[in-house]
Amino acid sequence: MSRPAVPPAVHDALVLEPRDVQFDWAALPLHWIPDEPMATHTINVLHLLLPEGERWFVEVFKDALPLITDDQLREEVLGFIGQEAIHAEAHQEVLDHLLGQGLDPRPYVRQVSWLFQRILGPRAGQSPLQQREYLIERVAFVAAIEHFTAFLGNWVLNSPGLDRAKADPTMLDLLRWHGAEEVEHRSVAYDLMVHLDPGYLRRLRGMAISGPTLVHLWIRGVRFLLAADPSLRGSIRPTWREAQRIARRGLLPEPARALRSALRYFRPSYHPTQEGSSSQALAYLATSPAARAAAH
Ligand SMILES: [Fe+2]
Ligand SMILES: [Fe+2]
């Protein structure tokens, strides 16, 4: 049950503070990266997945609290729960705004809700041992997904292409505030998984199931949004070639880079602190308009 070897300073310094941010979406254009509907909707998939997904993270981690025997880790998990709960609500507001603009996200969100609540939700009739096993398995899914959220967070903090394309500044702040908190808390789910089960097989299975599921959900989400967009009426069909063109312009992460990042998760010596920069994340949070407003 020991925790992996990581620089002690990283953990001594990790005090996760939920920042109660507010965003005003009244002026957000439907294509908030001007003239880039596919890039806009590829990133918009986050708003479809995260409210349901992050509420589920919170439920799983609350259930895991009684199993934690390390005081520092418990504090980190509580901070993680606080941050993810606010993330879910912030993305929910964007979904509500999309509906107001004539793009109804509810059919897709119902499918996401079914996945997290029915397939991955609480199960009746389990023995205490089965309950513990099912809980740790779900923590391993969260740990693998958090590898991607940290990857995306690190990407969006280092994506001048979005600024060059004149992406909406409020949406950029939402993405970078959220991305910075993902980088900030990137080790918590992984450390919780290792605390509950240090076995390599658990880590491997978590990524082997979550990785392809996430890619599948993302592709479906992009197709759904492009078809549901009232200004496009299905006129744009997403292709890998187009995704790569957009990535080369710096508006999306390169798919090959995302794949290489996922493969690093399988290295025996992997730890999330090897990815991204906490000091860069904290530097953004010190200047983020929403995070600064929340601090007052
Ligand atoms: Fe989050
Ligand atoms: Fe997260």
Side-chain angles (χ1 to χ4, degrees), residues 244 253-261:
Q244 276 181 331
E254 300 268 358
R257 219 176 118 196
L259 179 65
R260 281 197 302 275
S261 168

Side-chain angles (χ1 to χ4, degrees), residues 24-106:
D24 181 358
W25 298 118
L28 183 76
L30 187 56
H31 300 155
W32 53 263
I33 307 174
D35 304 319
E36 289 286 354
M38 180 163 154
T40 298
H41 286 318
T42 304
I43 297 178
N44 275 345
V45 175
L46 285 169
H47 311 308
L48 297 178
L49 296 176
L50 290 176
E52 290 291 334
E54 293 185 311
R55 285 179 201 130
W56 176 77
F57 287 8
V58 167
E59 287 167 23
V60 170
F61 275 41
K62 280 186 177 165
D63 286 350
L65 281 172
L67 304 182
I68 301 173
T69 56
D70 177 323
D71 290 343
Q72 164 77 18
L73 181 60
R74 183 181 299 105
E75 284 307 307
E76 291 172 13
V77 168
L78 286 169
F80 177 99
I81 288 172
Q83 290 191 339
E84 295 294 16
I86 294 174
H87 298 170
E89 295 322 306
H91 288 275
Q92 180 65 49
E93 286 177 15
V94 183
L95 273 187
D96 298 342
H97 175 74
L98 285 179
L99 184 60
Q101 286 185 312
L103 195 166
D104 184 357
R106 290 173 298 189

Side-chain angles (χ1 to χ4, degrees), residues 13-244:
L14 190 59
V15 177
L16 296 170
E17 153 203 6
R19 300 167 182 88
D20 196 4
V21 292
Q22 308 289 331
F23 299 95
D24 181 358
W25 298 118
L28 183 76
L30 187 56
H31 300 155
W32 53 263
I33 307 174
D35 304 319
E36 289 286 354
M38 180 163 154
T40 298
H41 286 318
T42 304
I43 297 178
N44 275 345
V45 175
L46 285 169
H47 311 308
L48 297 178
L49 296 176
L50 290 176
E52 290 291 334
E54 293 185 311
R55 285 179 201 130
W56 176 77
F57 287 8
V58 167
E59 287 167 23
V60 170
F61 275 41
K62 280 186 177 165
D63 286 350
L65 281 172
L67 304 182
I68 301 173
T69 56
D70 177 323
D71 290 343
Q72 164 77 18
L73 181 60
R74 183 181 299 105
E75 284 307 307
E76 291 172 13
V77 168
L78 286 169
F80 177 99
I81 288 172
Q83 290 191 339
E84 295 294 16
I86 294 174
H87 298 170
E89 295 322 306
H91 288 275
Q92 180 65 49
E93 286 177 15
V94 183
L95 273 187
D96 298 342
H97 175 74
L98 285 179
L99 184 60
Q101 286 185 312
L103 195 166
D104 184 357
R106 290 173 298 189
Y108 187 89
V109 172
R110 272 196 291 273
Q111 295 177 16
V112 178
S113 173
W114 174 81
L115 172 70
F116 285 112
Q117 294 304 321
R118 290 293 170 88
I119 305 296
L120 294 169
R123 287 184 186 164
Q126 288 184 318
S127 69
L129 207 64
Q130 286 170 326
Q131 273 176 15
R132 183 187 162 92
E133 169 61 26
Y134 180 48
L135 180 60
I136 300 174
E137 193 72 356
R138 289 180 295 163
V139 169
F141 293 157
V142 179
I145 298 168
E146 285 285 293
H147 176 79
F148 289 110
T149 58
F151 169 81
L152 292 173
N154 187 36
W155 174 78
V156 82
L157 288 172
N158 297 286
S159 55
L162 289 171
D163 301 275
R164 281 196 298 271
K166 300 202 174 359
D168 179 82
T170 307
M171 181 58 80
L172 271 188
D173 189 33
L174 165 86
L175 296 171
R176 288 181 176 152
W177 152 76
H178 187 173
E181 290 199 346
E182 290 303 320
V183 171
E184 185 187 24
H185 75 215
R186 67 196 182 284
S187 60
V188 177
Y190 183 88
D191 287 351
L192 176 61
M193 172 185 69
V194 172
H195 180 69
L196 299 175
D197 178 359
Y200 179 71
L201 196 62
R202 182 81 66 179
R203 181 191 347 163
L204 188 140
R205 200 164 54 232
M207 178 56 86
I209 296 173
S210 301
T213 305
L214 206 57
V215 171
H216 174 74
L217 286 172
W218 217 291
I219 293 170
R220 280 177 68 93
V222 175
R223 286 191 184 137
F224 169 83
L225 286 167
L226 287 171
D229 182 322
S231 72
L232 301 174
R233 298 181 188 279
S235 58
I236 296 181
R237 299 185 78 79
T239 60
W240 281 107
R241 180 186 289 242
E242 179 65 359
Q244 276 181 331

